[in-house]
Amino acid sequence: MAGGESNMGEIETEPIRPKVTDAKGILKQNREFLDFFWDIAKPEQEIRLQAIENLVQYLKNSEKEDELRYTLKRLVEGLAATRETARPGFSLALAQVLQVFEDVPLQSVLDQIKEKHDPQKVKKKLVRNAAFGNFFGVLSLSQSGRLTKEPRVVLESVQLLQSLAQFREHLKDLPRKTMVDILSETPEAVFEEVLLGALKSDLSSAFSTPEQLHLLLVAIQRFPGVLKPKKLKNLLGASSVVTADNIPKLVEVLKTAAKSVKKDRTMPPVGLDLLKVALKENSFDLFWKEAVINGLLKDQLGPSSYMCYRLLGSALPLLSFSQLKCVLGGEVMKHYGEHVVTAQLPDRFKFAPEMESYVDSFLEGCPDPEKQFAVMVAFSSLTNQGYPVVPSYWKVVRHLQLPVLLRYVDWLKDMFSNPQLDTCMDFSTKRQQQNQEKGDRTQHCVFRLRKWIVPRLISIVDNPLVKKEEDLVMDIARFIFFHAFFKVVKSNPVIPETESSLAVPLDEQTRSVIANSFFGLLQHLNHLPLMGDSPEVAALNERHVQGVTADGTLWIFCIVQYASVLLSQSKHVQAARPFSKEQREAWDRMLQSVEALHKKAKKSQNMETAAFQQLFLLVGIHLFKTPEESVELINDLQNCLENAQEKKSKKKKATASSEESEEPQWVEVMVEILLTLLSQPSRLMRQVSKTVFGRMCPHVTQRALQIILDVLDPEKDEEESGVVVTDQKDSRKQKKEKKPADNEEEEGEGSDSSEEDSDSSDEDDDGGGGEEDEDDEEKEKVNENFRLELMKVLQGKNALDTGGAESDEEELDDDTMMELDQNISALFSEQKKRIQAKKDEKENMRKEKVLVRDFKIKVLDLIEVFLSKQAESPLVFGIIEPLLGIIEGSMGSESSQQEQDFLRKTADIFRNQLCKTKRYCRNVSDRKDELHELMERLLTRAQKQADSSVSLYYFSAALYLVRVLKGNASDTPAATPAGKSKKQKKVEAETSPTDQSMCVGSLDKERVAALFQAALTDFMTRRKSSLSGAMFIDLFIRFPILCVQLLESAVRYITEGVRQHQQGQACALVQKALQMREVRQSMTDTEWTELIGRAVGQVTACLKTVTGFKVKVDQEKVIQCLELTRFLIRTAQQQKLAVSVTELGPVLESLSQLEGFRKSGHVDDTYWNVMKLLGFSKPKKEKVKKPAAEEQQTAPKKKKKGFLPETKKRKNRKKVLVEEGKPSEPGQGADWEGKQGKNNKNKNKRKQAEAGMGESNWPAKKGKFQSGNKPKNKKGKQQRGGAE
């Protein structure tokens, strides 16, 4: 076929070939038709499917029998293709063709398959391909959907598949699987009349292999009327499959099946079908107990155990309620729990995700609530020393029906109050049993169980996919809050939590865990969307309303109301940590303030009111955990609220100015309170602080903002880093920075701080090296002091050698030696304690720095919120320098990962929230002098930086101020008259495009131009300037009004730049400026012509200074000059300016003669682009061919590699070749000899030693390869490859 196709290609290229025969009829086919078969054999699945579809459509449209016959023949041949990816394509194509063209008899196709791919007739190396050809042929017949309509073909197909069993090493169990597929589609009558006799041997030996057993099980389920118990008795010797006698055979088959899917990690089909048959025969209990538990599970091998787990998961939807209870409480479940615990080690296979998928699918499709509840309780009761093996956050809970969910929550609460460990399937691993300490094991298990139950309840609230109601959420929140902070004294129907007393009292450790979990629940409630299916709820959810109930009440307010009820029922409940009188008064004041704010919010919605209400509730609920700090915060909040209300009253307006100077405003106190809340490691505190600050942003003053900025000031941080605050009322800022060290254990999920082990985190930004020097000096001082003390001890007992003559003869008695040992031991012990104390002090300082840095990262959230909410406020200008100070201080120091995160976040806020924002302060006329001074300071700092990246931030801030001062033309009322339409405005914008770009606004153009002129001079005249050309290009693009002022200086620096780099950057600046339309429109024609002329002269003078291209900077300078030159020449030519460019020609011609000119292709291309504009053309390179004789002489020199000694050179072989008259050709013999000589060296020596062959026998072997047989074989191999 391959040869025919190649002939077809020759016919297309050379149409007149009368001597070529067309025995197979291929020449009659067109190229489009033949391409289908090539595409079918390609590895890409999409191409194969498209080719099959196109082939079927083509055959439908053509209706030619010869094309159909050729298609069938070509597809049958492709079934045994050498390429594995081609076989499925040909098989699917054949199935599609047979399905569409039903007039094609399947018998003829099957005969063609047998004849073409007969394993007895093909060569030995093609037997594997022939076996695959038969298999894919039967598979295509089965997939055509017509096989069951022709019983005889069904029988022959099954027999053919049976004959392929001898090729199991190649086909694996594919034939058996295909037989099962055929059986599943065969009618019962056809099976009984045709296939039963053919499959009798396979069915009789069903217990031999998993494939044969699977075939029997499928037949029993598919044809129960045929394979009746009497028939099974004749085949198997028993009327059923699962019997006591057959259990050992079934176990062995299942073990084999489990090992066969070890790599696939799937459930073998024979296992699931055997489970179904056992249920059908009412022998499931026997199968599960004997075959699974006593058979597979006791095998203690991984594949067998995993098969037991898969049988357990697969059986869940098939079992009755009683069978489900039996299975879930058996040994398989316990064994699975042990696997989950031991598989937590790394590099262990974990079956838990697969079991979760089984349970998930079962709960999703199970309508029976009893079964759902039984499965959830069973898996929740599988515990390891009291702790369930399933995770507390289990996704399968989302499929529980609402009644089942309520029942499950009640079960969890009951297990918390009265832990029934005897109902749990508890186990311990071998290591746990060995390490188990003597003591009360029950208390330990109860603690672990309760530690799991509380997060499971919270996960039900947190999971948005769980269908729940507000009553259930509130019930869970009340339960967790009650047991975290209260005890039951007496039952009360008003408080449901008091009706069930705790069988095992809660200890302080458990209460601490529950309290931390409760505040985590508050975090989830703060982001909880509304629940319900009403249109109102859906509308509110689209607006992302969170943290409230359906009636608009805050979830935290509901919990505070519940806490108030508990505090009022002192006869029935008691707080775990009772309130003092002061704390109770603070709680009552908090409730009164919240109630007043709640009533006020009903009358009119106010952001300030909502902020105060949320803060009061949050601080009030924290009274149960940190009462001392919360009392002070509540007092401060109360004062803030009163001051805010007094400020709004008309009576206080007259005295407001005098009070502002004496007492801090309420906003400032609120900011301090928020900073105090941020100092606590709690995500809830951080989120609420951001929310509240966002609502009070319109009221923030300069002093309030400065309080936040003082926290971020690195200089103040260095000054106060060593201060230990003892008075909490002394300074609130100091307290904020020191509190994290005391509250480190707050809320497990709340702290984002991390402790770094690197020494760099222990160093300040500016004094890292100084600290190391101080440590070394201190260490030397300590060593010297210790040495002196040791010498005193030794001298006191005369144990020190003083160099006297009699010192060697003196010896100390035993008592003196014992006393000396005690003194030395005490001295070393004291020294060790001093060293450890210093290490602990250093570690504490490091931890404190980490906590302070984490606190500052949180404070940055407030800056980010303020910039996003109040970008148009003039207070934004006061944030610029503090943020730049942080960036400057953190950029140059070797910092930890936390320091890098702090720097990255600061830079991101400065760049995106400040410099790139589209909103900025519009009215700055009263602040323009202040802003100009700020701009001057920023540009001065930018020039003094050592790091160019830091200088970029300062320069960007200066550009931001230019934009603010300049403003837009639309900002002024005169620019947009009221009577103009949008169309008129658009026309005006088109006719005067430079109005906005060239407007001045509040910008002092001369002063700002002088500032940037000084910066440009610094960049062009200083060798190590931190500024860059990209900064000034950005300036020119964004503000053309300043570009015009700086253009003359840029032209001058083309030749006056201090280095080549600056001269090249000057060229780039001039080119960018001249390309701007605003610059051109700001000049007259005469000024423009003079400017172009001066630029041409400067570029010419600059190019004259070029002496070579030795370094890269020279090339970059020349490239920039040439690009500017090209722009100038083109501009002069297009605009017909009176500019002379005659001097450029000689200068450019001399440039090409310099050394290294042609090393850079970029330079060469740019150079000739300029020369073409001057009328020069690039000379073409002539290729000079070497004479043939010279090529032959140089060829051997190219092939010669390395140097060999004379004894290693193959001179004898060449001599023999010359004597025989058969010189080796360069392309054949020599090449082959060079490639194969090294491999055959030892082989040739061995043959010579054994057979006594001399050197005269070598040419015959070499001539054998020169005879041309090898190329013929290669050609034949290529033709066979083409056939594929």
Side-chain angles (χ1 to χ4, degrees):
M1 184 176 67
E5 290 174 8
S6 62
N7 292 340
M8 180 63 195
E10 295 174 1
I11 287 298
E12 287 186 351
T13 55
E14 299 177 9
I16 304 175
R17 298 287 294 275
K19 295 183 179 181
V20 178
T21 59
D22 187 16
K24 298 183 179 181
I26 300 175
L27 301 182
K28 298 178 181 179
Q29 318 303 326
N30 55 47
R31 173 51 56 187
E32 178 187 3
F33 176 60
L34 294 177
D35 285 343
F36 294 146
F37 302 102
W38 290 99
D39 291 341
I40 290 174
K42 289 184 178 180
E44 294 81 6
Q45 184 177 1
E46 296 181 356
I47 298 178
R48 292 205 305 261
L49 296 177
Q50 187 64 36
I52 293 172
E53 182 180 355
N54 295 338
L55 174 62
V56 173
Q57 190 63 36
Y58 177 84
L59 293 175
K60 281 183 180 180
N61 298 334
S62 65
E63 298 181 355
K64 295 181 180 180
E65 294 184 1
D66 56 341
E67 291 182 343
L68 182 59
R69 286 196 301 270
Y70 176 76
T71 299
L72 295 174
K73 187 173 184 178
R74 183 73 180 271
L75 295 178
V76 169
E77 290 178 354
L79 295 174
T82 306
R83 289 175 291 175
E84 296 182 359
T85 56
R87 299 171 196 153
F90 284 107
S91 176
L92 181 60
L94 182 58
Q96 295 295 319
V97 171
L98 294 177
Q99 184 179 7
V100 173
F101 299 94
E102 296 185 357
D103 54 341
V104 177
L106 296 184
Q107 184 65 49
S108 62
V109 177
L110 181 60
D111 294 340
Q112 192 174 355
I113 293 171
K114 290 181 178 180
E115 180 182 359
K116 183 66 179 177
H117 307 299
D118 188 357
Q120 305 296 331
K121 296 181 180 180
V122 299
K123 295 181 181 179
K124 186 176 181 180
K125 61 180 181 180
L126 299 178
V127 169
R128 183 175 183 272
N129 295 345
F132 273 107
N134 285 304
F135 165 71
F136 279 109
V138 177
L139 183 63
S140 61
L141 297 179
S142 174
Q143 292 176 345
S144 67
R146 296 171 49 195
L147 187 59
T148 57
K149 299 178 183 179
E150 301 185 22
R152 182 182 174 185
V153 180
V154 174
L155 177 60
E156 293 186 14
S157 299
V158 172
Q159 290 175 347
L160 181 58
L161 291 175
Q162 289 175 330
S163 66
L164 296 178
Q166 56 182 324
F167 305 107
R168 181 177 176 80
E169 59 177 340
H170 304 306
L171 301 178
K172 308 298 180 184
D173 57 344
L174 293 176
R176 297 290 180 183
K177 290 182 179 179
T178 306
M179 290 172 63
V180 171
D181 295 338
I182 294 175
L183 282 184
S184 62
E185 299 176 357
T186 303
E188 186 172 346
V190 175
F191 173 76
E192 184 176 8
E193 296 175 2
V194 179
L195 293 182
L196 184 58
L199 297 176
K200 185 175 181 180
S201 59
D202 289 327
L203 298 178
S204 300
S205 57
F207 300 119
S208 301
T209 61
E211 294 80 13
Q212 292 175 329
L213 178 59
H214 189 210
L215 189 65
L216 173 65
L217 296 175
V218 172
I220 291 175
Q221 297 177 81
R222 184 75 175 81
F223 314 109
V226 178
L227 296 177
K228 297 179 180 179
K230 185 177 180 181
K231 193 70 174 179
L232 290 177
K233 182 74 173 178
N234 296 332
L235 292 174
L236 305 176
S239 58
S240 59
V241 177
V242 183
T243 62
D245 297 335
N246 293 336
I247 288 295
K249 303 176 184 177
L250 293 175
V251 170
E252 293 300 323
V253 173
L254 290 177
K255 289 181 180 179
T256 305
K259 293 177 182 178
S260 65
V261 296
K262 181 179 180 180
K263 294 183 179 180
D264 299 334
R265 295 178 180 178
T266 57
M267 176 70 177
V270 64
L272 183 59
D273 287 324
L274 183 59
L275 178 65
K276 294 179 181 179
V277 170
L279 289 169
K280 184 180 180 181
E281 295 177 351
N282 295 325
S283 57
F284 173 76
D285 295 337
L286 175 65
F287 168 74
W288 192 259
K289 183 178 180 181
E290 299 298 334
V292 178
I293 297 178
N294 296 331
L296 289 175
L297 198 61
K298 289 187 176 180
D299 191 27
Q300 295 185 354
L301 292 178
S304 300
S305 300
Y306 300 144
M307 187 173 186
C308 293
Y309 308 154
R310 293 186 177 103
L311 285 172
L312 172 64
S314 303
L316 294 179
L318 306 175
L319 303 180
S320 62
F321 182 74
S322 59
Q323 292 172 339
L324 200 62
K325 296 279 287 184
C326 177
V327 168
L328 293 175
E331 290 295 324
V332 178
M333 277 286 288
K334 189 174 182 180
H335 200 276
Y336 167 71
E338 295 177 357
H339 160 76
V340 173
V341 175
T342 56
Q344 293 178 357
L345 298 175
D347 300 331
R348 292 283 186 91
F349 171 67
K350 297 174 177 58
F351 191 82
E354 190 173 344
M355 180 61 75
E356 182 177 343
S357 64
Y358 281 121
V359 178
D360 188 81
S361 60
F362 164 74
L363 294 176
E364 184 178 9
C366 178
D368 189 354
E370 292 294 332
K371 289 185 178 181
Q372 279 193 341
F373 180 72
V375 170
M376 289 301 301
V377 170
F379 278 94
S380 301
S381 302
L382 182 60
T383 58
N384 170 235
Q385 293 188 350
Y387 198 88
V389 298
V390 295
S392 57
Y393 189 90
W394 213 20
K395 296 180 181 179
V396 302
V397 183
R398 69 182 186 272
H399 297 304
L400 292 180
Q401 303 174 22
L402 186 57
V404 180
L405 181 63
L406 296 175
R407 186 178 173 187
Y408 180 61
V409 170
D410 292 338
W411 180 84
L412 290 173
K413 291 160 58 179
D414 183 64
M415 287 294 289
F416 182 91
S417 303
N418 302 304
Q420 302 174 8
L421 298 179
D422 54 341
T423 61
C424 297
M425 189 181 300
D426 195 78
F427 64 91
S428 299
T429 62
K430 294 181 180 180
R431 181 173 296 180
Q432 289 173 343
Q433 293 174 0
Q434 294 174 358
N435 300 334
Q436 186 173 351
E437 299 178 357
K438 296 181 180 180
D440 190 1
R441 184 173 177 273
T442 303
Q443 186 73 22
H444 177 66
C445 293
V446 169
F447 169 72
R448 286 168 59 87
L449 179 61
R450 286 172 171 171
K451 187 179 178 181
W452 178 87
I453 289 176
V454 173
R456 167 54 64 91
L457 290 172
I458 294 176
S459 69
I460 295 175
V461 177
D462 182 31
N463 193 342
L465 300 178
V466 176
K467 298 179 181 179
K468 50 187 176 290
E469 297 177 348
E470 290 184 353
D471 294 338
L472 176 61
V473 175
M474 191 61 202
D475 183 46
I476 293 174
R478 286 160 54 111
F479 179 82
I480 297 176
F481 175 78
F482 179 86
H483 290 289
F485 304 111
F486 287 90
K487 301 177 181 178
V488 179
V489 177
K490 185 179 179 181
S491 177
N492 186 359
V494 180
I495 306 175
E497 287 74 21
T498 60
E499 296 181 358
S500 59
S501 59
L502 297 177
V504 180
L506 293 174
D507 55 359
E508 290 300 325
Q509 184 181 5
T510 307
R511 287 192 186 277
S512 177
V513 172
I514 300 174
N516 292 337
S517 301
F518 168 73
F519 286 102
L521 174 63
L522 279 183
Q523 169 71 8
H524 299 315
L525 292 176
N526 193 39
H527 294 86
L528 192 67
L530 273 72
M531 288 168 283
D533 301 328
S534 63
E536 294 81 5
V537 171
L540 291 174
N541 284 330
E542 289 181 358
R543 293 164 49 192
H544 301 285
V545 177
Q546 297 176 340
V548 297
T549 60
D551 58 354
T553 306
L554 291 170
W555 280 107
I556 191 173
F557 181 67
C558 298
I559 296 176
V560 168
Q561 288 180 326
Y562 174 66
S564 180
V565 173
L566 294 179
L567 291 174
S568 63
Q569 299 288 336
S570 58
K571 295 182 179 180
H572 300 88
V573 296
Q574 180 182 357
R577 296 172 60 182
F579 284 170
S580 63
K581 182 178 180 180
E582 182 185 6
Q583 295 166 1
R584 186 56 189 265
E585 291 176 355
W587 173 265
D588 295 336
R589 291 198 307 272
M590 183 271 299
L591 290 179
Q592 295 174 2
S593 301
V594 170
E595 189 66 27
L597 292 171
H598 190 64
K599 293 180 180 179
K600 187 176 180 180
K602 289 183 178 179
K603 297 179 181 179
S604 61
Q605 292 291 336
N606 190 355
M607 300 291 287
E608 180 184 340
T609 303
F612 271 110
Q613 184 179 0
Q614 195 168 10
L615 265 186
F616 268 116
L617 293 172
L618 181 63
V619 177
I621 207 69
H622 271 78
L623 270 171
F624 293 96
K625 189 167 186 179
T626 54
E628 294 81 5
E629 299 171 4
S630 300
V631 168
E632 185 179 352
L633 290 176
I634 289 177
N635 295 334
D636 293 339
L637 281 174
Q638 195 76 32
N639 296 333
C640 289
L641 181 60
E642 293 175 358
N643 293 336
Q645 292 175 349
E646 289 177 0
K647 185 178 179 181
K648 292 184 178 181
S649 62
K650 297 181 179 179
K651 297 180 181 180
K652 299 294 180 178
K653 282 187 177 180
T655 59
S657 58
S658 60
E659 289 182 357
E660 282 181 6
S661 59
E662 298 177 359
E663 298 181 359
Q665 296 187 10
W666 67 272
V667 180
E668 300 168 19
V669 182
M670 281 287 290
V671 167
E672 291 184 345
I673 294 174
L674 293 179
L675 292 176
T676 305
L677 297 179
L678 281 177
S679 67
Q680 301 182 14
S682 168
R683 291 184 182 178
L684 176 62
M685 289 289 193
R686 186 175 184 177
Q687 185 63 38
V688 172
S689 300
K690 288 176 63 177
T691 304
V692 171
F693 186 76
R695 292 174 176 175
M696 56 181 283
C697 272
H699 308 283
V700 172
T701 62
Q702 178 64 42
R703 292 173 61 182
L705 187 61
Q706 189 61 41
I707 294 175
I708 301 175
L709 296 175
D710 288 342
V711 177
L712 300 173
D713 192 353
E715 295 181 358
K716 293 187 178 182
D717 180 34
E718 291 178 4
E719 294 173 1
E720 301 179 2
S721 60
V723 178
V724 180
V725 181
T726 56
D727 188 2
Q728 295 183 356
K729 297 181 181 179
D730 184 24
S731 173
R732 185 171 297 277
K733 176 185 173 300
Q734 293 180 358
K735 181 179 65 177
K736 291 192 299 293
E737 294 186 3
K738 305 306 174 185
K739 272 185 180 179
D742 300 330
N743 298 334
E744 185 177 351
E745 69 278 5
E746 185 89 291
E747 295 184 36
E749 87 284 358
S751 179
D752 297 330
S753 62
S754 61
E755 299 179 2
E756 301 291 339
D757 296 331
S758 61
D759 295 334
S760 60
S761 62
D762 299 335
E763 301 172 4
D764 291 336
D765 294 338
D766 300 327
E771 286 187 0
E772 291 182 359
D773 296 339
E774 292 176 1
D775 292 343
D776 294 338
E777 294 177 0
E778 185 178 1
K779 187 175 180 180
E780 292 178 0
K781 184 177 181 181
V782 170
N783 293 339
E784 184 64 28
N785 294 334
F786 177 69
R787 188 182 298 109
L788 293 176
E789 292 179 3
L790 182 60
M791 291 178 65
K792 290 179 181 179
V793 172
L794 295 176
Q795 289 176 355
K797 300 299 179 181
N798 295 326
L800 189 65
D801 185 8
T802 59
E806 299 178 356
S807 61
D808 297 338
E809 299 178 359
E810 295 180 358
E811 294 184 359
L812 300 177
D813 56 1
D814 294 340
D815 295 338
T816 306
M817 287 292 292
M818 292 294 295
E819 185 179 356
L820 181 61
D821 290 343
Q822 292 178 359
N823 293 339
I824 293 176
S825 177
L827 181 61
F828 275 95
S829 177
E830 185 179 355
Q831 175 68 9
K832 185 177 180 180
K833 290 180 181 179
R834 283 197 295 265
I835 294 175
Q836 186 62 37
K838 289 184 177 296
K839 289 182 179 179
D840 294 341
E841 182 181 0
K842 189 174 181 180
E843 180 66 17
N844 292 335
M845 291 179 63
R846 187 186 68 83
K847 290 182 178 180
E848 184 180 357
K849 283 188 177 183
V850 170
L851 293 173
V852 170
R853 183 65 66 199
D854 178 67
F855 171 63
K856 290 186 176 184
I857 292 176
K858 296 177 183 178
V859 174
L860 282 177
D861 292 342
L862 303 184
I863 299 294
E864 186 176 10
V865 170
F866 183 79
L867 290 176
S868 61
K869 298 284 186 180
Q870 297 292 315
E872 299 179 359
S873 171
L875 297 179
V876 173
F877 303 131
I879 302 177
I880 295 176
E881 287 184 299
L883 291 182
L884 288 172
I886 296 173
I887 295 174
E888 182 180 356
S890 303
M891 187 75 78
S893 61
E894 295 182 2
S895 55
S896 61
Q897 182 63 40
Q898 189 189 34
E899 183 73 21
Q900 293 177 10
D901 295 339
F902 179 58
L903 173 61
R904 189 179 299 109
K905 184 170 183 177
T906 306
D908 180 72
I909 293 174
F910 181 82
R911 181 173 56 252
N912 298 325
Q913 301 294 337
L914 182 63
C915 294
K916 293 185 178 181
T917 183
K918 296 181 179 179
R919 299 184 297 119
Y920 52 88
C921 185
R922 303 292 179 177
N923 186 13
V924 293
S925 57
D926 55 340
R927 295 173 174 264
K928 59 181 181 179
D929 293 336
E930 177 186 348
L931 294 181
H932 281 90
E933 293 176 359
L934 176 59
M935 187 190 306
E936 185 176 357
R937 291 197 303 270
L938 293 176
L939 286 176
T940 303
R941 292 292 300 168
Q943 299 172 39
K944 293 182 179 180
Q945 296 299 320
D947 191 348
S948 179
S949 57
V950 179
S951 179
L952 176 61
Y953 286 101
Y954 278 95
F955 200 87
S956 300
L959 295 184
Y960 167 75
L961 293 179
V962 173
R963 183 181 65 167
V964 172
L965 289 168
K966 175 177 169 294
N968 289 329
S970 58
D971 295 341
T972 58
T976 55
K980 293 186 179 181
S981 62
K982 293 183 178 180
K983 187 174 181 180
Q984 290 174 337
K985 295 177 183 178
K986 184 177 180 181
V987 172
E988 289 182 359
E990 292 177 354
T991 55
S992 58
T994 60
D995 287 346
Q996 291 190 1
S997 60
M998 303 302 288
C999 69
V1000 177
S1002 301
L1003 184 70
D1004 188 347
K1005 186 171 64 172
E1006 300 299 331
R1007 181 178 180 181
V1008 174
L1011 294 176
F1012 283 101
Q1013 176 66 51
L1016 181 61
T1017 302
D1018 177 85
F1019 170 58
M1020 291 296 176
T1021 57
R1022 279 182 54 196
R1023 299 183 63 86
K1024 294 183 178 180
S1025 176
S1026 59
L1027 304 179
S1028 65
M1031 301 179 187
F1032 292 97
I1033 290 178
D1034 190 21
L1035 170 67
F1036 282 15
I1037 294 175
R1038 294 174 60 183
F1039 307 109
I1041 187 174
L1042 298 177
C1043 173
V1044 175
Q1045 303 289 326
L1046 302 179
L1047 182 55
E1048 289 293 339
S1049 299
V1051 173
R1052 187 176 72 255
Y1053 287 123
I1054 293 178
T1055 56
E1056 297 180 5
V1058 67
R1059 292 188 304 178
Q1060 293 92 330
H1061 173 71
Q1062 277 81 353
Q1063 294 174 7
Q1065 291 297 312
C1067 293
L1069 287 175
V1070 172
Q1071 181 181 355
K1072 179 60 66 175
L1074 295 178
Q1075 290 174 346
M1076 300 178 66
R1077 180 176 53 184
E1078 295 83 358
V1079 175
R1080 174 65 184 91
Q1081 293 177 351
S1082 64
M1083 300 181 181
T1084 62
D1085 293 342
T1086 304
E1087 294 175 346
W1088 177 255
T1089 303
E1090 293 177 354
L1091 178 62
I1092 297 296
R1094 287 195 300 272
V1096 171
Q1098 288 290 96
V1099 172
T1100 305
C1102 183
L1103 290 175
K1104 288 180 180 179
T1105 61
V1106 178
T1107 58
F1109 299 87
K1110 297 181 180 180
V1111 291
K1112 186 177 180 180
V1113 68
D1114 295 332
Q1115 299 177 5
E1116 293 177 350
K1117 169 192 170 180
V1118 172
I1119 290 174
Q1120 297 291 349
C1121 290
L1122 291 176
E1123 289 181 353
L1124 176 59
T1125 304
R1126 180 177 58 178
F1127 173 78
L1128 294 173
I1129 296 174
R1130 185 177 297 171
T1131 302
Q1133 292 177 353
Q1134 292 177 353
Q1135 301 180 9
K1136 299 180 180 180
L1137 302 178
V1139 177
S1140 175
V1141 294
T1142 55
E1143 294 185 8
L1144 278 173
V1147 175
L1148 292 175
E1149 286 182 336
S1150 62
L1151 193 67
S1152 62
Q1153 306 299 325
L1154 296 178
E1155 180 182 358
F1157 173 76
R1158 301 190 182 278
K1159 288 184 178 180
S1160 174
H1162 192 186
V1163 173
D1164 187 64
D1165 295 340
T1166 309
Y1167 173 80
W1168 285 110
N1169 289 336
V1170 177
M1171 295 298 287
K1172 287 179 182 178
L1173 298 176
L1174 295 176
F1176 297 89
S1177 59
K1178 186 176 182 179
K1180 296 182 179 180
K1181 295 182 180 180
E1182 297 182 359
K1183 295 183 179 180
V1184 181
K1185 293 185 178 181
K1186 295 183 180 180
E1190 186 178 351
E1191 288 183 357
Q1192 293 178 359
Q1193 293 177 1
T1194 57
K1197 293 182 180 179
K1198 292 182 180 178
K1199 293 183 179 179
K1200 185 176 180 181
K1201 295 181 180 179
F1203 299 93
L1204 292 175
E1206 294 295 331
T1207 56
K1208 298 293 184 179
K1209 294 183 179 179
R1210 300 187 177 181
K1211 298 179 180 180
N1212 296 332
R1213 179 179 297 181
K1214 295 182 179 180
K1215 292 179 180 179
V1216 174
L1217 286 173
V1218 174
E1219 292 176 359
E1220 294 290 334
K1222 297 179 181 179
S1224 59
E1225 298 179 4
Q1228 296 180 1
D1231 289 348
W1232 177 85
E1233 180 182 353
K1235 295 177 182 179
Q1236 301 292 336
K1238 191 172 183 179
N1239 297 330
N1240 296 338
K1241 183 176 180 180
N1242 296 331
K1243 185 176 179 181
N1244 293 336
K1245 288 183 178 181
R1246 186 170 62 252
K1247 287 184 177 181
Q1248 292 176 13
E1250 293 177 356
M1253 294 172 61
E1255 296 177 351
S1256 60
N1257 291 330
W1258 287 19
K1261 287 190 176 182
K1262 188 153 189 173
K1264 187 176 181 180
F1265 285 92
Q1266 293 174 351
S1267 61
N1269 294 333
K1270 194 69 175 181
K1272 288 184 179 179
N1273 292 338
K1274 289 184 179 180
K1275 183 176 181 181
K1277 188 175 182 180
Q1278 291 174 358
Q1279 291 178 355
R1280 288 195 299 273
E1284 295 176 1

